[in-house]
Amino acid sequence: MKKIFRFLLKLFLGLLGFLLAAFLILKLIYNDDIPQGTSGKPADDLAFKILDAIHHKEFTEAQEIHWTFRGVNRYEWKLQQNMVDVFWDNNRVSYQTQYPEISIAFKNGVRLERGEERDELVAYAAQNFNNDSFWVIAPHKIMDTGTTREIIEEDGKQKLLVTYTSGGSTPGDSYLWEVDENYLPIAFKMWVQIIPLDGIEAKWSDWQMTAGGFPLSRKRALLGLEIPVTDLEVIP
């Protein structure tokens, strides 16, 4: 038994050391400062070109967007009603995006009255919806209330730095968008609270037209790993 314990301990310490070394290497690679650029009309003009490229007007007119994230959280977002049904395990929350306090939570099909359990389910739905929806429709949020924009000259290209000064779960996050010749987003670098790497890049590709008359990216990858968005459907 002692030999097995020592073996498992060495294995654990070895794995821990490997993960620590990998993190330190990534931290050395991704330690960029947030760039400084030009704000005002030039930045907003670039933002509007991006919104035109992704048919933002049609997006705002969609009735519903459905998707599953990580094979765990399932969403049925009713845009015109400012409400999203969030499903996971045996739970469902009808989350009111503008007035979270009136959200309704269900467990095993039974509605929960106000209390700690209900509040925990609503908080889970809110935090995960903010994160998981961003990986679906982030480019549509570049002109949201509470955002600032700057044009950044980098690699001979004009890029758009968007900072979220309020709203969402982690205000203060910044994203540097890169677009193609048609102003379609292809990647962003990010400086976010939940990832301890500065300037890490995510790729956005395989843009496909939806039934709502606007395209959505079907592939998003971080460090070469695809972001697990499945069952994506738009109901016009």
Side-chain angles (χ1 to χ4, degrees), residues 8-58:
L8 292 175
L9 180 61
K10 289 181 180 179
L11 183 63
F12 171 75
L13 293 176
L15 179 60
L16 184 62
F18 171 78
L19 292 175
L20 179 60
F23 172 78
L24 291 175
I25 291 171
L26 288 173
K27 190 65 176 175
L28 289 173
I29 296 173
Y30 297 105
N31 64 349
D32 297 343
D33 293 330
I34 300 177
Q36 302 293 314
T38 304
S39 60
K41 187 177 184 301
D44 288 349
D45 286 346
L46 177 55
F48 282 124
K49 289 177 180 178
I50 295 172
L51 292 178
D52 285 343
I54 59 177
H55 300 197
H56 179 67
K57 179 178 181 295
E58 287 74 12

Side-chain angles (χ1 to χ4, degrees), residues 81-98:
Q81 301 175 37
N82 298 309
M83 190 270 285
V84 55
D85 282 319
V86 185
F87 303 85
W88 74 100
D89 297 335
N90 57 348
N91 306 306
R92 173 169 73 89
V93 171
S94 292
Y95 176 63
Q96 302 291 330
T97 58
Q98 290 189 330

Side-chain angles (χ1 to χ4, degrees), residues 10 20 39 43 47 60 76 114 140 155 158 195-196 235:
K10 289 181 180 179
L20 179 60
S39 60
T60 63
E76 295 179 2
R114 290 189 176 275
H140 291 280
D155 303 325
Q158 285 192 336
I195 299 179
I235 300 175

Side-chain angles (χ1 to χ4, degrees), residues 219-230:
K219 292 182 180 179
R220 311 146 205 83
L222 184 65
L223 292 176
L225 300 176
E226 188 168 342
I227 303 298
V229 175
T230 56

Side-chain angles (χ1 to χ4, degrees), residues 146-165:
T147 57
T148 62
R149 286 156 298 282
E150 298 177 48
I151 281 186
I152 307 297
E153 300 287 344
E154 186 177 90
D155 303 325
K157 301 177 181 178
Q158 285 192 336
K159 301 180 180 181
L160 184 69
L161 179 68
V162 180
T163 298
Y164 294 83
T165 61

